[in-house]
Amino acid sequence: MSQRVGLAIAPETALPSAFVVFRDRLETSIKKAAQLGYDGIELALLDRSQADIDGIKRLLAEYHLELPVVSTGQIYGQSALCFTDPDESRRKQAIAQSNCLMEVAAEFGAMINIGRVRGPYFDTISRQAAEDNFLRSMEELAALGRKLGVDLLLEPVNRYEIDFVNSCAEGAEILDRLGCENVKLMPDLFHMNIEEPSIEGSFRKYIDYIGYIHFADSNRYAPGRGHLDFASIFTVLTALQYDGFITVEILPYPEPDVAAKEAVQYLRKYC
Ligand code: LER
Ligand code: MN
């Protein structure tokens, strides 16, 4: 049993803020990912119009790749729409756009991630009110997810990027309050290195919440270019029988092809 390795990609029409290694025609990126030895791709989308679903299905079948996650960060990136927003109509728009991406995810048997679209705290409402807005929005999404067979992933993100749900502990606590079995935790090694007391300790403590993991080194470059102890991380994930996706979400440094190649070659030493 081992982990499957994914690569985060986006269509060439994606916003500059889409956080991916390859931003190109999907045909080009999917072929490259397969040739480099990845098992799957995570696809960053703004809306359904960016995705030719049948075309992507054909490419995935041709290159024997999975599509485990559709990522939603651009919903926030485009117009700062999010679930904590005090303005109900903006909240509803964020939910509607997320629902559309959930329908796309359902086409692939994929999950969707809830990263920046969950939103920050706002000065104009209490923290409690922002958390309630988040929880009510997530209840709506989780209900549609249950109908469609789509799981949702909440990604703790470091304090320098957002002020709401920075750590696995905070993520697990809010998921307990939500109480939806199709909403899981999605740790990201880059954020974990900043926020967790111990990366391995948090994997041990929160493994039952975890549905998917983003992989990067401490500096957000390809694994091997920073100071994370991947031997130790893989020992723990394997001992915990984590057999989900570990998806490479890194800066395209020194350039995308080199970063994508280095990352998978390095990770294949362990899985
Ligand atoms: C998204 O997966 C993520 O990790 C964010 O930090 C990107 O802004
Ligand atoms: Mn991430």
Side-chain angles (χ1 to χ4, degrees), residues 28-128:
T28 307
S29 301
I30 287 173
K31 185 175 173 185
K32 276 194 202 171
Q35 285 172 342
L36 289 171
Y38 284 91
D39 299 306
I41 50 148
E42 173 185 314
L43 185 55
L45 289 179
L46 176 57
D47 58 44
R48 197 183 180 106
S49 73
Q50 286 183 318
D52 161 17
I53 289 174
D54 290 337
I56 297 171
K57 281 184 182 168
R58 272 196 301 276
L59 287 167
L60 294 172
E62 184 179 348
Y63 293 108
H64 307 288
L65 289 182
E66 292 178 68
L67 198 167
V69 166
V70 172
S71 57
T72 61
Q74 293 177 83
I75 295 177
Y76 185 78
Q78 186 190 43
S79 36
L81 291 172
C82 66
F83 303 150
T84 52
D85 200 309
D87 180 331
E88 190 183 352
S89 70
R90 288 179 58 78
R91 241 171 23 240
K92 282 196 184 323
Q93 251 179 286
I95 295 170
Q97 283 188 228
S98 304
N99 281 347
C100 287
L101 290 186
M102 218 181 328
E103 284 165 7
V104 174
E107 296 272 358
F108 298 101
M111 304 178 270
I112 64 162
N113 87 317
I114 306 296
R116 288 174 295 169
V117 71
R118 69 171 160 281
Y121 289 113
F122 282 78
D123 288 343
T124 48
I125 54 171
S126 67
R127 290 169 86 89
Q128 176 71 50

Side-chain angles (χ1 to χ4, degrees), residues 155 188 214 220 249:
E155 181 179 18
D188 176 326
H214 270 163
R220 226 166 190 178
E249 188 194 51

Side-chain angles (χ1 to χ4, degrees), residues 13 58 243:
T13 50
R58 272 196 301 276
D243 61 357

